[in-house]
């Protein structure tokens, strides 16, 4: 399987939750240089919301 972890060369968002009983993990890298990681369902949810609102797709909407 390919490594889907985002990098500065391949920005994006990657979330993993191998089983219902394990905590979710997430990582995000934006083309603006921002990056973040999170562990735990609540923290990963916040990571996704923050990335979506302030990075990645948000840059396309605002042109920044």
């Amino acid at each position: 399987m390919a490594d889907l972890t985002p990098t500065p060369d391949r920005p994006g968002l990657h979330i993993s939750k191998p089983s219902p009983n394990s905590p979710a993990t997430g990582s995000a890298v934006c083309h603006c240089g921002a990056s973040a990681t999170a562990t735990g369902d609540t923290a990963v949810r916040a990571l996704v919301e923050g990335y979506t609102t302030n990075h990645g797709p948000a840059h396309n909407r605002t042109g920044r």
Side-chain angles (χ1 to χ4, degrees), residues 10-22:
R10 289 186 347 241
L13 183 64
H14 181 255
I15 307 301
S16 177
K17 185 165 173 85
S19 75
N21 297 325
S22 65

Side-chain angles (χ1 to χ4, degrees), residues 3-62:
D3 182 6
L4 300 176
T5 304
T7 66
D9 293 334
R10 289 186 347 241
L13 183 64
H14 181 255
I15 307 301
S16 177
K17 185 165 173 85
S19 75
N21 297 325
S22 65
T25 60
S27 59
V29 176
C30 184
H31 63 272
C32 75
S35 64
T37 61
T39 301
D41 296 1
T42 302
V44 169
R45 185 174 294 114
L47 173 71
V48 171
E49 290 172 0
Y51 180 81
T52 303
T53 301
N54 301 305
H55 298 286
H59 289 298
N60 293 334
R61 288 193 302 264
T62 64

